[in-house]
Amino acid sequence: MEHRDDEGGADRTALRETAARLGHFSLRVLRGFQANRGLLLAGGVGYNLLLSIVPLFIVLGVALSRLLPEEQLVATIDAQLRLLAPGQATSLLEIVLPILRSPDAIGLLGFGVLLFFSSLAFRMLEDAIALLFGDRRRRRSAWFSTLVPYGFVLVLGAGLVVITLLVSLANTLAGQELATEGAGDPLSPTARALAYVLGFLGLGLLFTALYKLLPERHIAPGRALVGGFVAAALWQAVLQLLVWYFAEVSLVDTVYGTFATVVVFLLVLEAGAAILLLGAQVIAELERSAGAGLPWHEAPPEGDASGGS
């Protein structure tokens, strides 16, 4: 009995030590995030996301409309918008849909302009992550920063094709024909659930790639992967909470009237950007500890630039 009591006491002590370390590390992350003006950076990233998300889906939709049936593509884009901007997907789809149905109307020049705006958020995000990691001086070629956003757009396009094909297959296996416009949900419950799950996995992998590629230093793949999926899960949890708040509690409709949709959408994207940057701050703190040869929960001495710049 005494042996078991000793083991139980040791386990409780280890648990308390781990909880204390997590608490100290969390406070360290929040202090670093505040010192780096994380909320200000999140505002900039959120604003650029607002400018980018509609052109991004238009570019992807126009490019893929020649490869995939319209009904399948629209249903999949709707599912992904519900993942990225819950509560605002219908309004965004109403903007995207007319251009998807008349892709020739935008022309080659218009397509180039949309492609440029669709990459703005990636450029701003690269600058924000560089600040969080303490990379004040750029060491990369300018070509890297110029081309990486378009590389992400291509990867997103390929991912959307894969998701659309898999969702279409699930829809067929479920025995539900794609409905015509106005006839209800074109996806079966199984297909819509698959679209959500695949979209979440894609979002986690996208965040992982951002954490891996955008910092101007080597980031361990495992660390980037954990950070990416934790950020994706927090993104969904916080955004769903915000959607509930704006729908049930907030007076945003009364205060802003017809501008309420834009205000809510911007705040939702700002909150998502703050989560994404907070994940980057966590990785940055872990990298600083590793660079100083310390355990993850110990901060390097003040003024130690190891792993910071």
Side-chain angles (χ1 to χ4, degrees):
M1 288 292 295
E2 292 182 1
H3 180 64
R4 290 182 180 178
D5 290 342
D6 290 342
E7 285 185 349
D11 290 341
R12 287 192 293 271
T13 300
L15 186 60
R16 284 195 295 269
E17 288 180 354
T18 301
R21 289 171 178 175
L22 284 172
H24 288 309
F25 181 77
S26 299
L27 290 175
R28 172 182 154 198
V29 168
L30 292 175
R31 284 196 295 266
F33 192 68
Q34 182 180 15
N36 286 320
R37 304 292 189 268
L39 290 179
L40 181 63
L41 294 175
V45 173
Y47 173 74
N48 280 274
L49 277 172
L50 179 66
L51 294 178
S52 296
I53 194 167
V54 172
L56 175 61
F57 276 95
I58 290 175
V59 165
L60 295 176
V62 169
L64 299 178
S65 62
R66 305 184 185 280
L67 302 175
L68 302 168
E70 178 187 309
E71 293 84 355
Q72 296 178 17
L73 182 60
V74 169
T76 306
I77 289 178
D78 176 62
Q80 303 316 304
L81 286 173
R82 291 175 188 273
L83 180 71
L84 291 172
Q88 305 301 315
T90 302
S91 300
L92 293 173
L93 194 62
E94 289 175 354
I95 299 172
V96 173
L97 200 54
I99 300 179
L100 292 184
R101 289 175 174 165
S102 303
D104 295 333
I106 63 173
L108 186 60
L109 179 60
F111 187 83
V113 171
L114 289 172
L115 187 62
F116 170 77
F117 277 101
S118 70
S119 67
L120 285 179
F122 290 108
R123 300 173 191 277
M124 179 66 189
L125 186 59
E126 183 185 14
D127 290 338
I129 287 180
L131 289 173
L132 294 179
F133 276 84
D135 296 325
R136 311 292 176 178
R137 300 181 302 276
R138 289 198 173 276
R139 298 184 287 272
R140 280 182 179 149
S141 165
W143 283 105
F144 181 90
S145 297
T146 301
L147 296 177
V148 159
Y150 301 109
F152 274 107
V153 172
L154 288 174
V155 170
L156 288 173
L160 197 58
V161 170
V162 172
I163 290 173
T164 303
L165 293 176
L166 291 175
V167 169
S168 176
L169 177 61
N171 214 43
T172 302
L173 293 175
Q176 177 171 333
E177 297 294 332
L178 287 171
T180 57
E181 182 180 2
D185 193 343
L187 296 181
S188 67
T190 300
R192 184 161 289 282
L194 179 63
Y196 185 89
V197 171
L198 291 175
F200 177 78
L201 291 175
L203 187 64
L205 291 175
L206 174 64
F207 287 173
T208 299
L210 292 173
Y211 291 149
K212 176 65 179 171
L213 295 177
L214 294 190
E216 296 191 25
R217 63 187 65 241
H218 174 74
I219 303 297
R223 193 169 290 163
L225 186 66
V226 171
F229 278 94
V230 169
L234 287 175
W235 176 294
Q236 280 303 289
V238 172
L239 265 58
Q240 293 290 350
L241 181 63
L242 284 176
V243 168
W244 172 83
Y245 171 76
F246 285 124
E248 303 295 336
V249 180
S250 173
L251 298 176
V252 65
D253 289 330
T254 304
V255 175
Y256 291 100
T258 56
F259 294 101
T261 297
V262 177
V263 171
V264 171
F265 188 35
L266 179 58
L267 290 176
V268 165
L269 291 179
E270 244 186 84
I275 292 168
L276 180 59
L277 293 179
L278 193 60
Q281 184 71 54
V282 170
I283 296 175
E285 296 300 333
L286 292 173
E287 290 292 318
R288 291 189 181 104
S289 294
L294 297 172
W296 64 271
H297 55 86
E298 291 187 20
E302 293 293 331
D304 189 347
S306 300
S309 61

